[in-house]
Every structure is written in structure tokens, then in C-alpha cells.
Amino acid sequence: MSAVDLKAPKLPKLPKITVSRRQALIAVGAAVALIAVVFIGWNLYLDHTKEQRVAAFGSHMAASEADLHRLHEAVSTHMRSSPDHLSIGETDAYMRQFGALAEYGRGVTAYHRQVIAADVVPMSYAGAQAAYIRALESLNRAFSLWSSAAAAYDAKAYAAAKDNLKEADGAWKEYLAAVEEYERELRAAESGEEISPA
């Protein structure tokens, strides 16, 4: 019995592809044009996304500022409504109303802090966002301390009420400083400038 010869089949010769210089230039030109279209399209998409994010942030900021303005008006009106000499009953009612306003302020500031912290903003607006969040946190702390002062007053713990009011003044000053920083950062973001670290 003879051995079987195994031979690999011969592959057919493929014709050589000849590319003229003109065809090569056209192919390269088409590739460059395709890359340019993708690059421009991507940049347009990023610009559109950035504009949408800035618009959403601006909308949330406007809603927050409007709510804080109404809250400030309510607190200012309450402060102005206090006559020079109140009876004990009137003072108690005044402080209860003040405590209710402070609790409402805590809720408003906590809500807006949550909304604005969730915004995904371009890097140029990150400083403004962070400063405004700090402002809301300081204002929330001030409202919490005012609420505690009202509760302490109601419990006849007048020294504690006074301490809370003093701490609230400090939180209010921190709020004002953070608002100033937010305004600086926002102007820089809108003008394309960079803020040097303080």
C-alpha cells in the first residue's frame, strides 16, 4: 500500500492592485475631509451641549434667586413689623413667626442647593457653581441658627437664643462673601477670563 501524497493546493495569483498617484491623492483627500467633518461635527455637538448646560444652570440660578428674593422680602417685612415696645405675648408671637420663616428658609435653601449641585456645568462655570453652593450652605446655616434661636426663646433659654443669633450673623456674613465670589466667578466665566486664586 503506497503512501498518500498530500499537497497543498495552489492558490490562484491575485492581480496586483495598481494605484495611480492621482487615486492615492483622492483617497487621502477623502480621508482628510471625513476626519474634518467628524471633528467639526464633534465640536458643534460639544458647543451645543455646553450651551444647553449653561442654559440649564442659568435657569436654576434664576429660580433660586427669585425664591431667595421673595424670602428676603418676607424676612425684611417681618423685621420691620416689630414695634419698639412689644408685650410678652406679642414678642412670643413675633418669635414664633420668625421661627416659621426660618424653617421655610431652611427648606428653600436646601432644595436649591440640591438642584444646583446636580447641574453638570462646563469647567469655566465650575467656580461660579461652587461659590453659589457655598452661599446656599451658609444661608441654610443662618436660617437653621435663627430657627434654633426662636426655639430657644420659646423654651425661655434666652442665653442660648442670643448665642444662636450671634452665630447666625457669622453665617450671614459668610453667605454675603460667597455671593460676592459667585458674582466674580460668573463674570469671569461669561467673559472667558480666569480668576486668580485668592
Side-chain angles (χ1 to χ4, degrees):
M1 197 167 173
S2 62
V4 179
D5 291 333
L6 293 175
K7 292 184 180 179
K10 286 188 176 182
L11 295 174
K13 287 189 176 182
L14 297 173
K16 288 185 180 179
I17 299 173
T18 55
V19 179
S20 69
R21 184 176 170 150
R22 182 175 181 273
Q23 289 173 321
L25 287 174
I26 290 171
V28 169
V32 168
L34 179 62
I35 291 169
V37 166
V38 169
F39 180 74
I40 292 167
W42 179 248
N43 281 328
L44 288 173
Y45 168 75
L46 289 179
D47 285 345
H48 178 67
T49 302
K50 178 180 177 180
E51 287 172 8
Q52 282 186 319
R53 289 176 175 176
V54 170
F57 178 60
S59 172
H60 294 153
M61 289 299 305
S64 174
E65 289 170 354
D67 282 352
L68 292 183
H69 178 72
R70 284 191 290 271
L71 186 57
H72 180 264
E73 286 296 310
V75 171
S76 297
T77 300
H78 179 69
M79 296 292 191
R80 287 192 303 268
S81 71
S82 170
D84 292 337
H85 304 288
L86 294 175
S87 67
I88 292 173
E90 287 171 331
T91 302
D92 290 346
Y94 179 84
M95 289 303 288
R96 277 195 296 274
Q97 189 180 2
F98 180 65
L101 278 171
E103 279 300 303
Y104 176 67
R106 283 181 64 194
V108 168
T109 51
Y111 167 76
H112 286 295
R113 189 222 174 275
Q114 183 180 13
V115 169
I116 289 166
D119 280 334
V120 179
V121 298
M123 281 302 295
S124 55
Y125 283 81
Q129 180 187 36
Y132 195 78
I133 288 169
R134 279 194 303 277
L136 288 172
E137 287 170 348
S138 295
L139 188 56
N140 184 273
R141 193 164 57 256
F143 278 121
S144 296
L145 289 161
W146 286 328
S147 178
S148 295
Y153 176 86
D154 194 45
K156 308 284 190 278
Y158 301 118
K162 187 176 179 182
D163 289 343
N164 282 321
L165 289 173
K166 186 176 179 182
E167 284 186 56
D169 284 345
W172 178 259
K173 286 173 185 170
E174 289 172 11
Y175 161 71
L176 294 176
V179 166
E180 283 183 11
E181 185 184 348
Y182 158 72
E183 289 171 350
R184 279 196 309 274
E185 291 280 357
L186 185 63
R187 281 195 302 272
E190 289 174 343
S191 65
E193 297 173 6
E194 284 191 21
I195 294 280
S196 56

